[in-house]
Amino acid sequence: MKIIAYGIRDDEKPYLDQWSKDQGIEVKAVSELLDEDTVSLAEGYDGAVVYQQKPYTASVLDKLASYGIKSLSLRNVGVDNVDADAIKRNGFTVTNVPAYSPEAIAELTVTQLMRLLRRTPVFDKKQAAGNLMWAPDIADELGHMTVGIVATGRIGRAAMRIYKGFGAKVIAYDVFHNPELEKEGIYVDSMDELYAKADVISLHAPATKENEHLLNDDAFSKMKDGVWILNPARGALIDTDALIRALDNGKVAGVALDVYEDEVGIFNTDFGSFDAIPDERLKNLMKRDNVLVTPHVAFYTRTAVKNMVQFALNNNKQLIETGTAENVVKF
């Protein structure tokens, strides 16, 4: 058995090498992403492990299939950039890693909220300028707030446990109710109800056509004045222009974004200077003391990276051996 793994970063390589040694399976690590220029490297291999924001185009998938590769394992959750028609036409079986570390994403989400509530970005700037005054930057306490969780999957539930640990009241909305949470009575009947009750809105929903720009001008108008918004999920959930308007008029007190709707080609890139960042709306947000932006790093812990690599390799091995695996994605 031979597996090729595309887009392998330096931080992933030790976990790939350890898996290869433990399993006694040859794994070729390629630093480049899977595309028209690199797909030919897969010839002679039995399966491919991949991770990228670029599209898995029909032409690339057709070429993989022409090499006899039908086992494709993603090291991430999302499959929205995979050409579903090409997958079906070529008879691919695709796996993902649906939960590499929900706790990692939940921990950063709550950390960023606490930074906003305690005004640490403001105090950092003041102290750098030699200003050690308290006022007027008085803080708020999470334990006296109601947090609205949007989507109660693994990450939403992990975040919920942390919010509860701070003493916050937690409510949630999800089309699909978790039976245990149902017993607790935390679900509200609509997003409008969540908007009306929540002091903090924590987004953990997937990107779907129905969820695109879930938070728009109309949604913001239904929220409490001074609401806090957290998005570690998908950039498309928030209408950026509407968010900027809500920040400008004070409807939104502050925001923590680990994702951004136009992040592809911008996040995980070193532009050399702030001015060189080629997105004016993003720079508008980043300049604000009440907005925290991280470049899609909520997942980026040693535990999560190890799980992403080794779970994907396990999936690929299972696909090659049996034609199926634990985390098969249906198209």
Side-chain angles (χ1 to χ4, degrees):
M1 184 187 301
K2 295 168 60 179
I3 296 172
I4 185 169
Y6 283 94
I8 294 295
R9 305 182 305 268
D10 289 345
D11 55 82
E12 295 178 305
K13 188 68 162 52
Y15 304 120
L16 181 148
D17 290 343
Q18 186 62 53
W19 186 92
S20 177
K21 179 181 177 182
D22 292 344
Q23 298 291 328
I25 294 173
E26 179 185 343
V27 181
K28 179 179 178 63
V30 178
S31 60
E32 295 83 10
L33 299 177
L34 173 63
D35 58 23
E36 294 280 359
D37 295 327
T38 62
V39 64
S40 61
L41 298 174
E43 189 169 9
Y45 288 85
D46 303 299
V49 169
V50 293
Y51 175 84
Q52 63 196 68
Q53 292 180 310
K54 296 169 67 174
Y56 299 87
T57 63
S59 60
V60 168
L61 293 172
D62 289 345
K63 286 183 180 178
L64 274 183
S66 73
Y67 302 145
I69 295 177
K70 299 295 179 72
S71 301
L72 187 66
S73 296
L74 280 60
R75 302 198 297 281
N76 55 290
V77 180
V79 295
D80 50 302
N81 57 341
V82 180
D83 189 308
D85 291 336
I87 291 294
K88 296 173 185 176
R89 182 177 67 250
N90 288 299
F92 279 96
T93 305
V94 179
T95 62
N96 66 351
V97 183
Y100 29 87
S101 181
E103 292 75 18
I105 297 167
E107 286 178 9
L108 181 67
T109 305
V110 183
T111 297
Q112 296 294 74
L113 173 62
M114 294 309 300
R115 291 184 65 204
L116 290 170
L117 295 182
R118 298 312 304 252
R119 312 297 197 267
T120 58
V122 177
F123 281 106
D124 287 346
K125 286 186 177 181
K126 287 169 67 171
Q127 291 172 191
N131 181 355
L132 301 182
M133 295 293 294
W134 308 338
D137 303 299
I138 194 166
D140 294 295
E141 296 182 27
L142 178 54
H144 296 287
M145 294 182 168
T146 297
V147 178
I149 303 282
V150 180
T152 55
R154 295 178 179 89
I155 299 170
R157 296 197 302 275
M160 189 179 298
R161 290 191 289 272
I162 303 175
Y163 291 128
K164 287 180 177 179
F166 277 91
K169 178 181 178 181
V170 175
I171 61 175
Y173 178 79
D174 199 321
V175 176
F176 305 101
H177 287 196
N178 177 281
E180 293 303 315
L181 298 181
E182 183 81 68
K183 294 175 184 176
E184 295 181 26
I186 70 162
Y187 285 109
V188 296
D189 295 329
S190 66
M191 285 297 298
D192 284 357
E193 185 179 352
L194 184 141
Y195 295 149
K197 292 182 175 180
D199 302 298
V200 176
I201 295 175
S202 193
L203 301 176
H204 303 284
T208 65
K209 291 181 180 179
E210 294 77 18
N211 284 342
E212 186 173 359
H213 286 181
L214 177 69
L215 300 194
N216 52 26
D217 285 312
D218 182 58
F220 286 123
S221 72
K222 297 173 182 176
M223 297 176 192
K224 288 185 176 184
D225 291 339
V227 67
W228 303 88
I229 305 294
L230 311 170
N231 187 10
R234 289 291 181 265
L237 297 175
I238 298 181
D239 179 337
T240 301
D241 292 322
L243 174 62
I244 290 172
R245 286 189 287 269
L247 285 163
D248 287 342
N249 65 31
K251 169 61 76 170
V252 172
V255 185
L257 303 174
D258 188 55
V259 291
Y260 174 65
E261 63 177 328
D262 296 321
E263 70 180 58
V264 175
I266 295 178
F267 281 2
N268 203 27
T269 301
D270 184 355
F271 291 102
S273 71
F274 181 84
D275 290 340
I277 297 173
D279 189 304
E280 294 305 316
R281 295 190 304 173
L282 180 60
K283 288 193 285 188
N284 178 316
L285 292 167
M286 292 173 69
K287 289 176 183 177
R288 299 172 186 251
D289 290 336
N290 61 341
V291 176
L292 296 174
V293 175
T294 46
H296 211 141
V297 297
F299 81 97
Y300 195 49
T301 66
R302 291 181 177 86
T303 297
V305 170
K306 177 183 178 180
N307 289 343
M308 292 169 75
V309 170
Q310 297 192 347
F311 289 1
L313 287 165
N314 286 336
N315 283 334
N316 208 246
K317 176 176 179 286
Q318 291 173 17
L319 288 181
I320 295 166
E321 289 177 337
T322 70
T324 189
E326 184 178 352
N327 299 309
V328 170
V329 179
K330 295 182 180 179
F331 285 90

